[in-house]
Amino acid sequence: MTGLALATTAAAPARRQEKRPSRGWLLLPPVLGLLGFFGYPLVLVVLQSLESKTGEFGLSVWLDVLGSAEFRDAAWKTVALALGATAGCVVLGTFLALVIAFVPFPGARTLSRLVDTVLAFPSFLIALAFTFIYGGAGILGAGGFLYSPFGILLAEITFYTPFVMRPALAAFGQVSSAQMEVAASLGAKPGRVLRQVILPEALPSLASGACLTMLLAMNEFGIVLFLGAKDVTTLPMLVYGKGIVTFDFPQACVIAVVNVLFSLALYGTYRRLTKGGRRAAVDQA
């Protein structure tokens, strides 16, 4: 009798749960809103990229754009600047995070918050500050350097370093001090502890920060436009030139779609790395 009563009691919540009506329809309004605000304009851009100036519908505009030297040069410079900025941000952000996390000195927390404030700045403000420092009438007067690819690279590294530094700091904060103490007690030098204990634990966070930085750097527009570097045309700048300057909207839409595809691929990589980092943290916990 007792077993029968327990079975009946356990089955009652299950029956109540089965009878509970589904509320999936509540997701319909926000989904429709997202499709209207984001999906519909993107569909229009794709359709515009398939229509030539003469009104013909096909891939002729795509073939013209993808086969042009202008597009290849812009794509190469976009990827090169994004890779260079990402590498610089990973090196500088990891170094600053290591110093703040493991080197005790007065003002470490203040330095961390100071770097975080860069996240609140618009990117063109960094370019404006660089103009006051490196411009022809600036403090250092290195105008030729500022208006070159290296000036853009330095500005992007300065602006995007916190995007690597913050996840690195969070990852270093989760490294077990017992692991480091055991490694040191076994005779491992600080450099070996860093390579074999600290950095492997923080690798997923560093990789996700690098992917996010590359995603943002590949779509950077304000710094490149404000500095106006000679012979530096990235994909966002090419979209601006085709759409605003020459009013060639089909070609501008083709370049925009290519840039969106690059961004989606990088975002997918970032999401996978972020999930891997969370899974590793859960396993460690």
Side-chain angles (χ1 to χ4, degrees):
M1 292 295 293
T2 305
L4 182 60
L6 290 175
T8 305
T9 305
R15 286 196 299 268
R16 286 196 297 268
Q17 187 175 3
E18 291 176 358
K19 294 179 181 180
R20 184 178 299 173
S22 176
R23 297 182 179 180
W25 61 270
L26 293 176
L27 297 176
L28 187 60
V31 169
L32 292 178
L34 288 175
L35 290 177
F37 280 107
F38 298 103
Y40 180 66
L42 185 58
V43 170
L44 290 181
V45 170
V46 174
L47 292 177
Q48 182 67 54
S49 69
L50 297 172
E51 183 178 353
S52 65
K53 289 184 177 180
T54 59
E56 297 178 358
F57 194 81
L59 297 176
S60 60
V61 182
W62 279 82
L63 295 176
D64 292 340
V65 172
L66 298 181
S68 64
E70 184 183 32
F71 171 80
R72 292 195 299 268
D73 182 68
W76 159 248
K77 288 179 179 177
T78 301
V79 174
L81 284 173
L83 288 174
T86 302
C89 290
V90 169
V91 172
L92 182 59
T94 304
F95 173 76
L96 291 176
L98 285 170
V99 171
I100 294 174
F102 299 109
V103 179
F105 67 94
R109 183 172 298 180
T110 303
L111 177 61
S112 176
R113 293 176 179 175
L114 182 62
V115 175
D116 287 344
T117 57
V118 180
L119 298 174
F121 293 161
S123 60
F124 73 87
L125 188 59
I126 299 297
L128 180 63
F130 270 49
T131 303
F132 290 142
I133 297 175
Y134 301 106
I139 299 174
L140 300 180
F145 164 77
L146 180 62
Y147 305 116
S148 69
F150 298 102
I152 294 177
L153 192 62
L154 182 59
E156 290 186 355
I157 290 174
T158 303
F159 182 70
Y160 290 117
T161 291
F163 291 91
V164 176
M165 178 183 163
R166 289 313 306 171
L169 272 175
F172 292 153
Q174 295 178 355
V175 176
S176 174
S177 59
Q179 289 181 318
M180 295 184 288
E181 292 173 358
V182 169
S185 65
L186 293 175
K189 295 182 179 180
R192 187 175 180 182
V193 174
L194 175 63
R195 292 192 309 269
Q196 298 185 355
V197 178
I198 298 176
L199 290 181
E201 295 288 338
L203 187 59
S205 297
L206 292 175
S208 63
C211 286
L212 178 60
T213 301
M214 189 171 181
L215 173 64
L216 297 173
M218 185 169 289
N219 293 281
E220 178 55 45
F221 177 75
I223 291 176
V224 183
L225 178 65
F226 195 92
L227 292 182
K230 296 180 180 179
D231 299 327
V232 179
T233 302
T234 59
L235 289 179
M237 286 292 297
L238 195 58
V239 173
Y240 174 80
K242 294 291 184 181
I244 304 300
V245 179
T246 63
F247 298 103
D248 193 343
F249 294 109
Q251 290 198 8
C253 290
V254 170
I255 301 167
V257 172
V258 172
N259 207 13
V260 168
L261 293 177
F262 283 164
S263 301
L264 290 176
L266 283 173
Y267 180 73
T269 305
Y270 167 72
R271 290 293 299 172
R272 285 195 296 270
L273 291 173
T274 303
K275 289 181 180 179
R278 291 175 181 172
R279 201 173 293 117
V282 171
D283 294 340
Q284 183 179 2

